[in-house]
Amino acid sequence: MYKALTIAGSDSGGGAGIQADLKTFQERDVFGMSAITALTAQNTLGVHHVFPQTIEAVQSQLDAVLSDIGADAVKTGMLFSSDIILAVSEKIRDYNVSNLVIDPVMIAKGGASLLQNEAKLAMKEKLFPLGAVITPNLPETAELLNCKAITSIKGMEEAAKALHASGAKAVLVKGGHMTSNTAVDVLYVNDRFYHYESERIETKHTHGTGCTYSACIAAELAKGRPIPEAIAIAKEYITAAITHALPIGKGIGPTNHAAYRQIQPSVMKT
């Protein structure tokens, strides 16, 4: 039984955060566990309130899980503050976590900030060097590098290489925000670039895509798959989830975590 732990915020609407992660782990036949960093009151219309957990609460959850059950992979999502980032980084080192997937969650789909300003530096300096893969989207990449909007595949490659200098083993820059007929993600690992391409799906229902994508990567790493292969499977998984997204609620609906199991799509990878 492979095991994966998510360290993230709770989404009361069920589309993102630990709820999305645990659904994804289950779909990928991995036993899922969680450490909650913050409670959020949110739905398809947006994030209404954020209630961060205490440092002691976060540390205690991590100690309880990692000292007993352990984890073949760990992923982080919404960490909210520099104090939580520092506490999580310390526990990741203490328990010698090797397969760490870092989704640098900063802004919700509705525009709400999910990371305090001073936390960005802590994430880059303390957490990124511990990562197997970091998975920023284009706005997050530009924010992390303090650069202009990225508008080309070449720019994505340059950004991935620049973020790689922060110490993570691999960087996946996700191109979903780029305007084109296809959605291309760029991976930089072991001095090599990989491109993962899929058809762009015209839908507004994309709540939880980043959480779901990174959770699937973590699940596949937990099984022992190499990083490029784990991402290839995760790209297929998230493409299916977006293609068959759920138009529930009055705003941005969630992706469909069960879709990949039901249709097994084929996605071109180069």
Side-chain angles (χ1 to χ4, degrees):
M1 172 59 68
Y2 301 106
K3 301 160 291 184
L5 167 66
T6 171
I7 309 170
S10 172
D11 174 6
S12 57
I18 62 162
Q19 285 81 355
D21 296 342
L22 292 175
K23 291 173 187 177
T24 301
F25 293 161
Q26 184 78 10
E27 286 292 323
R28 299 308 302 151
D29 296 321
V30 171
F31 182 76
M33 303 161 290
S34 66
I36 300 175
T37 59
L39 301 177
T40 70
Q42 66 175 295
N43 53 25
T44 64
L45 297 174
V47 178
H48 304 289
H49 295 284
V50 176
F51 305 97
Q53 298 297 285
T54 65
I55 301 305
E56 182 181 6
V58 175
Q59 291 172 325
S60 294
Q61 291 174 85
L62 293 174
D63 283 333
V65 171
L66 294 174
S67 67
D68 175 34
I69 305 169
D72 299 303
V74 175
K75 68 144 289 190
T76 64
M78 175 188 174
L79 298 179
F80 188 71
S81 71
S82 57
D83 287 343
I84 292 177
I85 290 170
L86 294 174
V88 169
S89 300
E90 181 179 340
K91 293 302 180 183
I92 293 297
R93 288 193 302 270
D94 288 348
Y95 289 98
N96 197 28
V97 172
S98 56
N99 289 321
L100 175 63
V101 179
I102 303 168
D103 183 15
V105 177
M106 295 183 177
I107 301 173
K109 283 290 188 298
S113 177
L114 299 178
L115 184 71
Q116 293 181 337
N117 290 331
E118 71 274 12
K120 182 172 68 173
L121 184 60
M123 181 177 289
K124 291 173 67 175
E125 292 186 350
K126 301 299 183 181
L127 192 62
F128 282 6
L130 305 175
V133 190
I134 60 175
T135 64
N137 60 30
L138 291 181
E140 289 164 347
T141 300
E143 181 73 17
L144 288 166
L145 293 175
N146 294 313
C147 68
K148 296 181 180 179
I150 300 165
T151 58
S152 68
I153 301 299
K154 181 65 175 177
M156 292 173 67
E157 290 180 342
E158 293 172 350
K161 198 168 185 178
L163 283 176
H164 184 264
S166 65
K169 183 177 180 180
V171 178
L172 178 70
V173 175
K174 300 175 295 189
H177 288 78
M178 197 177 296
T179 302
S180 63
N181 292 328
T182 58
V184 180
D185 304 329
V186 173
L187 169 68
Y188 182 68
V189 62
N190 296 329
D191 298 320
R192 179 181 174 185
F193 291 106
Y194 295 78
H195 293 178
Y196 301 87
E197 183 175 353
S198 65
E199 179 184 356
R200 181 172 298 280
I201 309 303
E202 295 300 327
T203 177
K204 72 173 185 177
H205 301 302
T206 56
H207 181 53
T209 50
C211 304
T212 301
Y213 196 173
S214 57
C216 190
I217 295 171
E220 300 308 317
L221 291 180
K223 299 173 186 176
R225 298 189 191 279
I227 290 173
E229 183 181 344
I231 293 173
I233 293 171
K235 178 68 169 178
E236 292 188 342
Y237 182 87
I238 192 60
T239 299
I242 295 171
T243 302
H244 299 276
L246 305 173
I248 60 176
K250 300 175 183 177
I252 300 172
T255 61
N256 184 348
H257 297 92
Y260 183 73
R261 168 171 49 86
Q262 295 168 347
I263 68 170
Q264 292 290 302
S266 177
V267 179
M268 180 172 66
K269 301 175 289 291
T270 61

